[in-house]
Amino acid sequence: AQSVSQHNHHVILSEAASLELGCNYSYGGTVNLFWYVQYPGQHLQLLLKYFSGDPLVKGIKGFEAEFIKSKFSFNLRKPSVQWSDTAEYFCAVNADTGFQKLVFGTGTRLLVSP
Amino acid sequence: KAGVTQTPRYLIKTRGQQVTLSCSPISGHRSVSWYQQTPGQGLQFLFEYFSETQRNKGNFPGRFSGRQFSNSRSEMNVSTLELGDSALYLCASSPRDESTDTQYFGPGTRLTVL
């Protein structure tokens, strides 16, 4: 069975600090990887995704993530966070089985202080 | 395009009752997935429908069921409600039944069971 681990449950940063959120998954086959964000009071939105090609993917709002197959990791990064990045971030895996079934990590709550 | 819509947004029921939640996908999307979000268990996959067929099912009891109509709209039903069914129920749609496709989430239906 697939599983996703997000080791940082709560992160507090000051504006302009750099961000890296860890995500590791457990699955031996081909996977498609996603980062979703949930801003306060809003629904889940896609930040970025990876399914093939360049392992460094860029998403919206200056976010990027790197897929490292050997480490089963898909860490999210942003060089300089803003107060508006305060949200909950979810890493998710969809095994390449032809079905739609996202397995989510437990989420990381990011608080950016101005 | 309008996003994924879910009705009702809020629902209060008592133990033993049943409930039906509705989801209208983005126009043209044919796959609809349902997820349960709780503070303790996080986001968990319930089931996925494509072309009126259940394609995949998560690890939930048979009290949880769903269906999809020919216009891709979907409903999920929970019978004999338990206190532990209190959660945010999210619907997500995607164009196809492909694991590389992005799932677009609705705002959710918050169910409270008393």
Side-chain angles (χ1 to χ4, degrees):
Chain A
Q2 307 154 53
S3 66
V4 178
S5 297
Q6 291 183 245
H7 306 294
N8 314 102
H9 297 296
H10 293 89
V11 174
I12 301 173
L13 294 173
S14 299
E15 275 194 316
S18 63
L19 170 72
E20 180 158 5
L21 301 182
C23 172
N24 288 89
Y25 65 92
S26 171
Y27 184 70
T30 303
V31 293
N32 303 298
L33 299 156
F34 304 79
W35 274 97
Y36 280 87
V37 61
Q38 193 167 31
Y39 297 104
Q42 297 187 28
H43 55 272
L44 277 168
Q45 302 171 40
L46 180 73
L47 267 181
L48 47 78
K49 71 177 183 181
Y50 171 82
F51 57 91
S52 67
D54 188 344
L56 183 63
V57 291
K58 296 190 185 299
I60 60 171
K61 304 189 181 186
F63 286 91
E64 65 179 29
E66 184 175 15
F67 170 52
I68 303 179
K69 189 175 181 179
S70 60
K71 294 184 177 180
F72 297 89
S73 70
F74 190 54
N75 292 354
L76 181 71
R77 299 195 292 249
K78 185 170 184 179
S80 176
V81 293
Q82 301 173 315
W83 176 78
S84 58
D85 293 325
T86 294
E88 190 161 15
Y89 293 81
F90 294 91
C91 180
V93 168
N94 200 348
D96 198 22
T97 58
F99 300 118
Q100 284 283 26
K101 177 186 175 182
L102 285 172
V103 176
F104 283 88
T106 50
T108 297
R109 287 186 184 272
L110 171 66
L111 175 63
V112 180
S113 58
Chain B
K1 275 186 181 176
V4 177
T5 57
Q6 294 186 243
T7 57
R9 292 293 309 279
Y10 302 90
L11 208 47
I12 299 175
K13 293 285 188 180
T14 55
R15 278 183 299 173
Q17 288 187 308
Q18 75 165 21
V19 68
T20 299
L21 312 181
S22 181
C23 171
S24 292
I26 292 172
S27 177
H29 285 196
R30 297 172 60 198
S31 170
V32 173
S33 299
W34 289 88
Y35 295 84
Q36 182 196 63
Q37 186 176 22
T38 60
Q41 300 296 318
L43 280 149
Q44 293 186 289
F45 172 79
L46 280 157
F47 27 64
E48 185 223 350
Y49 286 87
F50 180 76
S51 293
E52 301 177 66
T53 302
Q54 186 181 90
R55 295 272 283 162
N56 207 355
K57 191 178 192 313
N59 190 25
F60 280 82
R63 300 184 297 107
F64 291 81
S65 63
R67 59 178 176 167
Q68 187 182 34
F69 302 94
S70 58
N71 61 359
S72 296
R73 193 176 68 83
S74 176
E75 289 181 346
M76 68 162 278
N77 184 275
V78 188
S79 63
T80 320
L81 284 166
E82 300 177 1
L83 295 178
D85 297 333
S86 294
L88 181 67
Y89 290 88
L90 297 173
C91 168
S93 75
S94 60
R96 307 165 300 171
D97 186 26
E98 296 287 337
S99 54
T100 54
D101 275 6
T102 298
Q103 292 187 42
Y104 296 85
F105 285 81
T109 294
R110 184 161 298 281
L111 171 65
T112 302
V113 182
L114 302 175

